[in-house]
Amino acid sequence: MTFDVVIIGSGAAGLSAALSLAPHLKVAVLAKGSISAGSTAWAQGGIAAVLDAGDTFDNHIEDTMIAGAGLNNRATVEFVVENAPAAIERLAALGVPFNPGTSDRWHLTREGGHSHRRIVHVADATGWAVQQALEKAASEHPNIHLIPDMVAIDLITGRHVQDGSGQKRVWGVYAVNRETGHVEHLTGRATILATGGASRAWLYSTNPRGSTGDGIAMAWRAGCRVSNMEFNQFHPTCLYNPEVKNFLITEAMRGEGGQLRIPGTQRRFMPDFDAREELAPRDIVARAIDHELKRLGIDYVHLDISHRDPDFVREHFPTIAARLAEPDIGIDITRDPIPVVPAAHYTCGGVVVDLHGCTDVDGLYAAGEVTQSGLHGANRLASNSVLECLVFGVAAAKHINANWADLPPPPPIRAWDESRVTHSDEEVVVHHNWREIRRFMWDYVGIVRTTKRLERALNRVNLLKQETEEYYGHFRVTPDLVELRNLVEVSGLIVRSALTRQESRGLHYTLDYPNLLPDAVDTVLAP
């Protein structure tokens, strides 16, 4: 199938790009599951933008730089912050029903690391509302083709061209069709990666199952640099319940007065760690919880908002209140504290891009969590993530539109060769390795690290990579195998990056190098 532009990923970044391209170009948007199954729909808190009269761009920029521990690219931060209000207006025009304020147009909440109220939201299910609005607009546009259940395997580069040109350029993607089980190739003059992050590399994660670092791994294999992979944000408050699937408790609950307490004693502990208490940046809060769990030998801490008015709590957090009140959990958040633990949440590093979303390889763009744009630095400021998707999705589309005449059409591409492979009778290998990698990443590459643990993790990654590549070369490609291959690749990049950084900065905290170096320098890996 040939299109003008192929977009891999159907969340906020991919759909924003598609809508900006569609007036003039034929666009394919691929999702490896349903169109709505990505991380955008899971975002609870909201989107940060300067919308209050008492707030300024400079304030938002400074808050972002502070949270990022000085590793941010200031030009990128300025670009995103200054384009934030327009991004919110585009969503409002598409029908996103942001909560109204009592006197202002919208209710603005506040989250950790923000000096002002600047988070627009749709109760506690903002991502779902944004996803539905973008998806509806995309589905109604005749030039946008939404294609679910296509699992991207690898980017099509010069080595896949029939004449064997070997040119360092991307022409689309090979993907396995879940329905047929066969590999298809989709080509275009430009390709945009909008595949999200890699937080499912850890045992506990707030992300959907598909967050396996696919775009980062594919870009790396295609010749792109990756940067700052050691910085994975652990959300401080994920529901602790061994019998229930991981469930995020939004940062906005702390923004509206939720307090972290030790079970049994009800003692608040955040004042011991930071003057901002529960509104400290996520890396500080996550490490504080991790410290208390290990110090006391307990499994969880409590997040308590029961001291607020019950109607206020139910109005602001209806999704959380309803889910936790269900019989399998049985928590009334207007009266009961919520048991919480940190969980892998957001990948702050990724594929290196410029302000247009351009990567190192011609014809390949990237936007959103798959990238290292310079916005987040060593730690993402809350509610800057969907914002990055919205701004960079449009930026990539604008660059493609402006340079369309210079993008050559794809040459004839070789079909995927399935003749040499067979169905596997050893599928247990895939599932075992999937479980193994997530367990040792949690144990050895977690919130607090040591060089010895990282070296042990690297040894295991290298062994699993050898096993996985051997398996990949002999058996028919399946979605689970594709994800495992990418998880192994990205885990190796994370561990290598973590070993390179000999300091503690932002989300990377190591007992062997607890101090901050005087200069903030990106970790950059090149293929």
Side-chain angles (χ1 to χ4, degrees):
M1 293 182 281
T2 298
F3 301 87
D4 292 325
V5 181
V6 176
I7 299 174
I8 310 170
S10 58
L15 293 177
S16 293
L19 290 168
S20 297
L21 291 164
H24 306 291
L25 301 174
K26 181 183 176 184
V27 183
V29 178
L30 278 62
K32 67 176 178 178
S34 72
I35 299 298
S36 305
S39 293
T40 294
W42 289 44
Q44 292 178 348
I47 308 168
V50 174
L51 300 166
D52 182 71
D55 200 3
T56 67
F57 287 155
D58 285 342
N59 289 335
H60 192 178
I61 292 166
E62 190 63 20
D63 290 345
T64 301
M65 298 290 292
I66 291 171
L71 198 63
N72 326 64
N73 181 318
R74 192 173 188 91
T76 304
V77 177
E78 292 172 353
F79 173 69
V80 173
V81 167
E82 291 168 6
N83 280 281
I88 301 300
E89 290 292 349
R90 287 196 299 272
L91 292 178
L94 290 175
V96 176
F98 293 117
N99 281 31
T102 53
S103 57
D104 299 317
R105 181 181 178 190
W106 293 310
H107 177 264
L108 303 176
T109 192
R110 185 179 171 190
E111 296 182 346
H114 288 274
S115 59
H116 291 74
R117 286 183 171 266
R118 63 169 69 102
I119 316 299
V120 294
H121 61 103
V122 183
D124 57 351
T126 308
W128 179 252
V130 169
Q131 178 70 30
Q132 293 306 297
L134 291 171
E135 198 174 315
K136 181 176 184 293
S139 66
E140 293 173 351
H141 202 293
N143 274 350
I144 298 177
H145 302 263
L146 301 177
I147 309 176
D149 295 321
M150 295 292 285
V151 183
I153 303 170
D154 265 323
L155 295 167
I156 295 171
T157 62
R159 67 188 181 91
H160 301 111
V161 175
Q162 283 187 9
D163 66 8
S165 69
Q167 183 181 3
K168 190 177 180 181
R169 187 178 193 92
V170 167
W171 305 101
V173 66
Y174 289 108
V176 59
N177 185 319
R178 285 185 186 271
E179 184 176 346
T180 66
H182 292 293
V183 177
E184 303 174 12
H185 60 277
L186 300 92
T187 58
R189 294 193 186 194
T191 302
I192 301 176
L193 288 172
T195 51
S199 287
R200 295 296 280 187
W202 282 269
L203 182 62
Y204 300 111
S205 171
T206 65
N207 283 206
R209 188 185 186 281
S211 297
T212 49
D214 302 335
I216 298 170
M218 288 191 295
W220 172 258
R221 292 193 291 264
C224 294
R225 291 170 299 155
V226 301
S227 177
N228 294 349
M229 290 298 296
E230 67 270 36
F231 299 117
N232 201 94
Q233 187 175 81
F234 287 76
H235 196 289
T237 53
C238 179
L239 172 70
Y240 175 82
N241 188 313
E243 306 302 322
V244 174
K245 185 177 180 181
N246 296 343
F247 183 76
L248 173 68
I249 308 299
T250 175
E251 179 128 350
M253 187 170 288
R254 284 179 282 127
E256 296 297 340
Q259 298 175 342
L260 290 164
R261 301 177 181 273
I262 301 297
T265 69
Q266 298 306 306
R267 181 182 68 83
R268 291 180 64 200
F269 57 88
M270 278 311 301
D272 299 337
F273 291 90
D274 195 279
R276 292 163 290 188
E277 301 178 351
E278 278 79 5
L279 288 176
R282 289 178 177 178
D283 60 324
I284 294 173
V285 179
R287 279 201 302 274
I289 295 173
D290 183 71
H291 178 272
E292 294 299 288
L293 297 181
K294 290 174 178 174
R295 182 179 71 86
L296 297 170
I298 56 179
D299 293 325
Y300 57 87
V301 297
H302 277 149
L303 175 62
D304 192 359
I305 198 168
S306 63
H307 54 282
R308 297 298 308 265
D309 178 75
D311 290 337
F312 172 90
V313 173
R314 282 188 285 264
E315 178 186 353
H316 280 75
F317 308 108
T319 306
I320 295 172
R323 177 66 186 99
L324 297 192
E326 290 178 8
D328 58 337
I329 300 176
I331 295 174
D332 179 352
I333 66 172
T334 67
R335 298 184 305 171
D336 306 322
I338 307 167
V340 294
V341 291
H345 183 61
Y346 192 87
T347 307
C348 289
V351 183
V352 176
V353 294
D354 64 14
L355 292 182
H356 305 295
C358 297
T359 71
D360 295 331
V361 179
D362 290 342
L364 180 65
Y365 295 76
E369 191 178 357
V370 69
T371 70
Q372 201 286 89
S373 67
L375 173 62
H376 305 304
N379 179 28
R380 175 179 68 95
L381 181 65
S383 290
N384 272 355
S385 50
V386 176
L387 174 61
E388 181 184 33
C389 294
L390 300 170
V391 171
F392 272 92
V394 171
K398 284 183 176 179
H399 193 267
I400 292 170
N401 284 328
N403 295 277
W404 183 249
D406 298 325
L407 296 172
I413 302 298
R414 295 198 308 270
W416 188 266
D417 182 10
E418 295 184 293
S419 63
R420 63 183 176 82
V421 293
T422 60
H423 289 290
S424 170
D425 59 357
E426 295 290 337
E427 195 72 17
V428 65
V429 173
V430 174
H431 298 289
H432 173 87
N433 287 358
W434 175 284
R435 291 192 300 270
E436 182 178 345
I437 198 164
R438 295 179 68 212
R439 166 55 73 181
F440 74 67
M441 286 293 288
W442 182 260
D443 290 340
Y444 296 155
V445 197
I447 297 171
V448 177
R449 301 163 177 175
T450 67
T451 300
K452 191 67 176 177
R453 289 180 206 156
L454 292 173
E455 289 172 345
R456 286 173 174 160
L458 186 61
N459 289 335
R460 284 159 174 77
V461 167
N462 290 337
L463 178 61
L464 284 180
K465 185 170 184 179
Q466 179 181 343
E467 287 183 2
T468 303
E469 286 301 324
E470 180 182 3
Y471 188 97
Y472 177 81
H474 287 86
F475 297 110
R476 188 174 298 280
V477 174
T478 65
D480 285 346
L481 177 57
V482 170
E483 290 187 328
L484 172 64
R485 182 181 182 228
N486 291 332
L487 267 183
V488 172
E489 190 82 77
V490 171
S491 296
L493 296 172
I494 292 168
V495 176
R496 287 172 55 191
S497 296
L499 282 167
T500 299
R501 185 167 295 280
Q502 297 186 349
E503 64 168 345
S504 289
R505 183 182 296 272
L507 298 165
H508 175 72
Y509 187 83
T510 169
L511 297 176
D512 293 307
Y513 302 98
N515 298 321
L516 193 69
L517 292 177
D519 297 320
V521 180
D522 290 328
T523 301
V524 181
L525 302 179

